[in-house]
Amino acid sequence: MFGTGGKQKPCRAAAACAAEHAAEAGVEAEEIEGLDTLRFSCWLLPMDRYERVVLYMYKSSGLLDRFQIPDDMCRRFITRAHNGYRNNPYHNWRHAFDVSQMAYCITRQTTLGQNLKPLELYALMLTALCHDIDHGGKTNDFLVDTGSPIALLYNLKSVNENHHCTYTFKLLSDDSTNMLHALTLEQKKAVRKTMIACFKATDMTFHFEIVNQYKSKLKDGEAFVPDSPEDTQLMLNLMMHAADLSNPVRDYENAKQWAAAVNEEWWLQGDMEARMSLPVGGMNKRPEPDGTDQQIAGTQLGFGDFVVGPMFEALAQGMDGPSGLFQSCVD
Ligand code: AMP
Ligand code: ZN
């Protein structure tokens, strides 16, 4: 879609490359075992190892060589992205890492992911890492209803997502963390445009629009056109959105911890709504202790049956490579 860059470069010998990248990133082989699979669990890796593993993902995707990013610059960028995340129960650095790992998995395990051009892959991986940066733990509706400064700044539209994107672009405009420094002006414009669309695709408001666009392509038997900017952006949006919503397709222990975290964040918002004498939404009402499991289970059933399940089924039909990544999610 960017007209330059060609396909991703195949690695010389995969195992030798992986070992070299691991050594350069300072990670142990056990820490990245299964990194491009669904069974990898961020909960089992100490958080103080995440930055190194993110560096490994960027290296092993060939992005640093391709875009002339010195390791030090990438390390600084990742640390500053990390520091940009707040200590929320759900929208925190662990979520950023988890979504990056899932994006890495999708780009390696699906045919469309493997065929992304380097700049497209780069835009996706940068967005995955920063997609919720500086999230305040409040939903867009809350920010709009309370007239928060960022809601007014962004004209009440995709408030959180616009904020994460602006924050990221500021980070990328600092000389010491300018991961776009080697790109031409045209490439910079293209990568920013793609990133803006990917950030926006994480706003749940667009969930059905994105999935339905994709489903109607499948229904009409329209092949994905790799050189069509619209088709490519739709695929990138889906990859980003699928990575963001992938908690329920992880193994049970992993998914359970995310479910507890997202519910806790909603309840904290509900506590604040109550303090502000605002109506407290159904999902935001903190249950009695003996009703906690039931309330969490209810949110997970709804989310799985109506949101994640149908989306991953559609992705399995149109996006899966030989490893059947999305099909394995719905099985
Ligand atoms: P984001 O805020 O960018 O992480 O967008 C994803 C949204 O999906 C979250 O804000 C939640 O509303 C929703 N979501 C993600 N994971 C879950 C989950 N396990 N259960 C219910 N909702 C979820
Ligand atoms: Zn997210």
Side-chain angles (χ1 to χ4, degrees):
M1 99 190 265
F2 298 100
T4 55
K7 294 256 174 78
Q8 295 163 45
K9 256 198 302 191
C11 203
R12 291 159 270 143
C17 268
E20 198 179 299
H21 292 142
E24 287 165 359
V27 296
E28 304 296 332
E30 313 83 77
E31 293 177 313
I32 49 171
E33 213 251 300
L35 188 64
D36 61 356
T37 70
L38 277 184
R39 70 192 152 76
F40 185 90
S41 172
C42 63
W43 298 96
L44 301 178
L45 181 71
M47 280 182 91
D48 63 4
R49 306 299 292 170
Y50 287 4
E51 289 192 18
R52 287 166 189 249
V53 176
V54 174
L55 179 63
Y56 173 82
M57 288 188 229
Y58 280 69
K59 274 185 168 290
S60 59
S61 303
L63 297 171
L64 304 192
D65 281 349
R66 170 70 81 149
F67 297 112
Q68 300 165 42
I69 310 297
D71 285 6
D72 275 358
M73 176 183 278
C74 190
R75 279 199 193 92
R76 265 194 308 275
F77 172 76
I78 296 167
T79 301
R80 288 190 58 194
H82 175 180
N83 293 341
Y85 278 86
R86 301 196 206 173
N87 203 14
N88 301 306
Y90 183 87
H91 290 101
N92 53 32
W93 174 234
R94 194 193 300 278
H95 174 60
F97 176 77
D98 183 55
V99 172
S100 296
Q101 185 265 324
M102 187 64 188
Y104 181 73
C105 177
I106 293 172
T107 57
R108 294 170 83 90
Q109 300 284 349
T110 62
T111 314
L112 290 176
Q114 286 166 1
N115 284 327
L116 288 174
K117 296 189 182 100
L119 262 183
E120 295 158 357
L121 177 65
Y122 200 32
L124 181 68
M125 292 305 290
L126 290 172
T127 308
L129 189 69
C130 298
H131 82 282
D132 276 328
I133 202 163
D134 199 38
H135 198 296
K138 303 290 180 299
T139 59
N140 283 342
D141 284 347
F142 178 92
L143 296 171
V144 168
D145 291 349
T146 56
S148 78
I150 54 168
L152 303 181
L153 180 65
Y154 297 115
N155 300 326
L156 318 181
K157 303 250 165 55
S158 299
V159 176
N160 274 314
E161 295 71 21
N162 273 309
H163 177 63
H164 309 316
C165 185
T166 304
Y167 192 113
T168 304
F169 286 165
K170 275 204 192 114
L171 194 52
L172 289 172
S173 66
D174 186 316
D175 282 348
S176 66
T177 47
N178 185 351
M179 302 278 284
L180 310 183
H181 77 101
L183 304 186
T184 64
L185 189 58
E186 278 313 301
Q187 288 175 319
K188 278 185 189 137
K189 275 162 58 179
V191 86
R192 286 192 190 116
K193 189 170 169 205
T194 303
M195 287 177 72
I196 291 168
C198 287
F199 273 101
K200 193 171 157 204
T202 67
D203 181 347
M204 286 301 289
T205 311
F206 302 112
H207 169 78
F208 289 105
E209 186 181 317
I210 294 175
V211 175
N212 289 340
Q213 262 178 28
Y214 176 67
K215 277 188 179 165
S216 65
K217 265 186 99 54
L218 285 182
K219 193 163 86 239
D220 299 341
E222 282 178 40
F224 163 71
V225 184
D227 285 325
S228 145
E230 291 77 24
D231 280 13
T232 304
Q233 189 64 61
L234 178 61
M235 297 303 140
L236 288 167
N237 291 350
L238 280 159
M239 289 180 196
M240 181 63 240
H241 187 45
D244 198 18
L245 300 194
S246 61
N247 309 163
V249 302
R250 301 290 194 158
D251 67 57
Y252 179 72
E253 275 311 311
N254 184 339
K256 195 169 117 183
Q257 296 186 78
W258 284 121
V262 78
N263 277 273
E264 178 58 28
E265 194 166 304
W266 289 334
W267 299 335
L268 284 172
Q269 178 175 311
D271 297 343
M272 180 171 274
E273 287 166 343
R275 284 197 301 278
M276 294 170 78
S277 306
L278 294 169
V280 180
M283 280 186 342
N284 302 95
K285 275 201 187 90
R286 193 178 283 281
E288 295 300 325
D290 63 357
T292 305
D293 289 350
Q294 201 186 349
Q295 183 154 328
I296 295 179
T299 63
Q300 294 314 288
L301 287 176
F303 191 59
D305 288 352
F306 297 107
V307 180
V308 179
M311 176 178 176
F312 277 66
E313 269 168 28
L315 293 176
Q317 266 184 56
M319 225 190 250
D320 256 346
S323 72
L325 172 74
F326 289 115
Q327 189 55 47
S328 72
C329 296
V330 284
D331 282 345

